[in-house]
Amino acid sequence: MKTVSTARSHGGTQGVYSHASSACRCDMTFAVFVPPQAAKAPCPVLWYLSGLTCTHANVMDKGEYRRMAAELGLIVVCPDTSPRGGDVPDEPDNWQFGKGAGFYVDATEAPFSRNYRMYSYVIEELPRLIAENFPADMDRQGVFGHSMGGHGALTLALRNPDRFRSCSAFAPIVEPSTAGWSKGALEKYLGGDRSAWRAHDACALVEDGHRFDAFLIDQGSADGFLDEGLRPWLFEAACRKAGIPLTLNMRDGYDHSYFFISTFMDDHLAWHAARLQTR
C-alpha cells in the first residue's frame, strides 16, 4: 500500500492510498478518514460506495462527512467505483458502463471478467488491507452509498448480513435489473441469463429470502433519475412484504447531487453510529 496524501481534519486524518489490486488486476486508489478516537482504540468502519462516474474523491471533497465522523468515532472508507488503467476494457462514450461504472459486481463475461470484480474487491480484498493497515474494528462494519453505490450498499448488506451491522443509501438504484440506466450494464457484465442478475438486485434479493435488520434511504423528490432509474417505492414494497424495517425519507425539492448528499450526511452517520458503537 502506498500513501498518496494525508491531511489533518477535525482532529483525525484524511488519507488517500493506492495499491496493486489482485481482484481488479490494476492499481486501485481509495480514501480513508481515521477519527481522533482511533489513537486510543480501534474504531468501527463505515464503507461509502460512490455512484456512476465517481471516484473516491467525489465524496471526500464534497460529502462533508469528516466533522461528524470525528465526533462519532467512525473510520470512513471510500473505495473507487471501478478498475482503472489503460489495459482495462471500457466504453469511453458510455458513462453508464465501464470505468466509473463497475456496479459492485463480479463480471462473468469477457473481456470484463478479468478486471471488473468490484464485489470481491470491496467484500474481500480491501477489507483485508484496511484491517492490516488501520486501527479498525472489523467486527463493527456498516455500509452506505449513493445511486449506483446505494445499489451496492443494499446488495452487499443483504448478501452479507453477518458482516455489516448497518446499511443506508442516498437515492439508490433499488432494482437495477429493470432500470433503464443499469440493465444494459448488468447484461454486459453478467450475461443474458437474468437469473444471474438477481444476486445484484436489492428487490430480487429480498424476494429471494435475503434479510437485513433495517435500512435507511433518503431520496430527493426533484431527482431527475427518480422515475426511470431509482424508484425507491419498489424496495419499499419489497421490504414491507418481507417485514424488513425501512425508513424512506422523501426530501422535497432535493436533486441527485452532493448538495443533497451533504445535507443529510450527518443523519446517516448518526444512524450507523447508533448501530456500530456497541461491541
Side-chain angles (χ1 to χ4, degrees):
M1 189 183 78
K2 299 178 181 178
T3 300
V4 177
S5 66
T6 59
R8 198 75 171 156
S9 180
H10 295 282
T13 301
Q14 176 65 69
V16 178
Y17 309 90
S18 67
H19 72 115
S21 168
S22 59
C24 299
R25 299 191 180 186
C26 64
D27 288 343
M28 296 290 285
T29 302
F30 61 96
V32 181
F33 175 73
V34 177
Q37 293 88 335
K40 296 182 179 180
C43 291
V45 179
L46 182 56
W47 298 83
Y48 179 88
L49 307 183
S50 292
L52 286 163
T53 75
C54 292
T55 69
H56 67 281
N58 296 77
V59 67
M60 185 180 73
D61 294 343
K62 298 182 286 188
E64 300 181 17
Y65 57 82
R66 279 173 290 272
R67 180 191 61 79
M68 183 60 78
E71 179 179 324
L72 297 172
L74 297 173
I75 291 175
V76 181
V77 181
C78 308
D80 201 348
T81 49
S82 74
R84 305 280 177 172
D87 296 333
V88 174
D90 188 25
E91 291 185 2
D93 297 328
N94 183 1
W95 63 276
Q96 298 172 340
F97 184 74
K99 295 178 188 178
F103 278 92
Y104 303 99
V105 306
D106 280 352
T108 58
E109 301 299 299
F112 310 106
S113 56
R114 173 179 170 82
N115 302 102
Y116 287 84
R117 300 186 54 81
M118 289 302 295
Y119 179 84
S120 291
Y121 179 69
V122 173
I123 286 294
E124 298 173 4
E125 183 177 11
L126 192 53
R128 288 195 298 267
L129 201 65
I130 297 300
E132 291 168 0
N133 291 278
F134 297 92
D137 184 346
M138 303 304 284
D139 290 329
R140 295 184 289 164
Q141 297 185 60
V143 61
F144 68 148
H146 170 232
S147 193
M148 179 187 71
H151 137 76
L154 297 178
T155 56
L156 265 62
L158 284 164
R159 293 179 62 180
N160 301 274
D162 295 333
R163 166 76 64 86
F164 300 108
R165 291 193 187 184
S166 57
C167 179
S168 71
F170 300 98
I173 307 171
V174 302
E175 194 175 87
S177 62
T178 62
W181 66 347
S182 51
K183 60 184 179 182
L186 293 188
E187 183 169 12
K188 291 175 184 177
Y189 286 138
L190 303 175
D193 181 2
R194 295 197 173 206
S195 64
W197 304 6
R198 298 184 70 83
H200 301 285
D201 184 303
C203 288
L205 285 167
V206 171
E207 291 170 3
D208 291 346
H210 291 263
R211 297 293 181 263
F212 199 73
D213 287 344
F215 294 104
L216 168 65
I217 292 177
D218 274 277
Q219 172 64 62
S221 66
D223 191 320
F225 302 110
L226 178 59
D227 292 328
E228 180 185 358
L230 306 175
R231 305 170 297 168
W233 50 85
L234 298 178
F235 192 62
E236 183 179 37
C239 286
R240 184 185 303 114
K241 184 176 181 180
I244 300 174
L246 166 64
T247 301
L248 173 58
N249 299 313
M250 293 299 300
R251 303 298 189 177
D252 187 42
Y254 283 88
D255 59 15
H256 199 68
S257 71
Y258 269 91
F259 296 112
F260 156 64
I261 296 168
S262 62
T263 299
F264 302 105
M265 178 62 77
D266 283 3
D267 295 345
H268 283 247
L269 293 173
W271 164 277
H272 289 278
R275 289 155 179 81
L276 295 176
Q277 293 295 1
T278 58
R279 288 188 177 274

